[in-house]
Amino acid sequence: MAERDEERLGIANEVRLEIGIENALSSRQARSFVRCLQTAWQVPVIRWGNQESGLELADARRLLHVAEIYRQIEGSASAGAIECYRRAGELRPVE
């Protein structure tokens, strides 16, 4: 393992566990999901600001960065990379 790869993986794992676990949503991710449903169903929506959308976008970018770390160290079949790419694709800032 290259120098600092273990440290990079440790940080990647922390981010993945915080915002990228399958079948688990942070409170902000859950609110975004609910708002998307409400918008699709054309019912009154919960309040959501530009700052929250910006934070969702930042989380998606963090997950893409972490996925790339996994891919570089563990290869393209890395379960951590796949999980982070999937969750990054699921995050969607809402209006």
Side-chain angles (χ1 to χ4, degrees):
M1 191 174 278
E3 184 179 338
R4 308 210 58 139
D5 280 355
E6 194 166 324
E7 182 180 351
R8 292 172 67 213
L9 277 177
I11 293 169
N13 280 322
E14 288 177 24
V15 172
R16 183 181 57 81
L17 292 173
E18 178 186 343
I19 58 175
I21 292 293
E22 186 174 7
N23 298 322
L25 297 175
S26 70
S27 61
R28 193 175 62 249
Q29 290 169 345
R31 290 191 66 222
S32 175
F33 178 73
V34 166
R35 185 167 169 95
C36 287
L37 289 177
Q38 291 170 327
T39 301
W41 295 341
Q42 298 179 346
V43 298
V45 295
I46 58 175
R47 287 181 3 139
W48 187 271
N50 288 335
Q51 181 180 4
E52 290 167 303
S53 290
L55 292 171
E56 284 293 283
L57 180 59
D59 280 352
R61 293 177 74 183
R62 286 173 59 202
L63 286 165
L64 291 173
H65 182 86
V66 165
E68 182 63 14
I69 290 170
Y70 280 117
R71 192 194 62 72
Q72 288 173 355
I73 297 170
E74 297 178 344
S76 60
S78 166
I82 292 167
E83 188 173 39
C84 289
Y85 283 131
R86 179 197 46 76
R87 178 50 59 90
E90 291 172 350
L91 295 181
R92 152 188 164 166
V94 292
E95 300 173 8

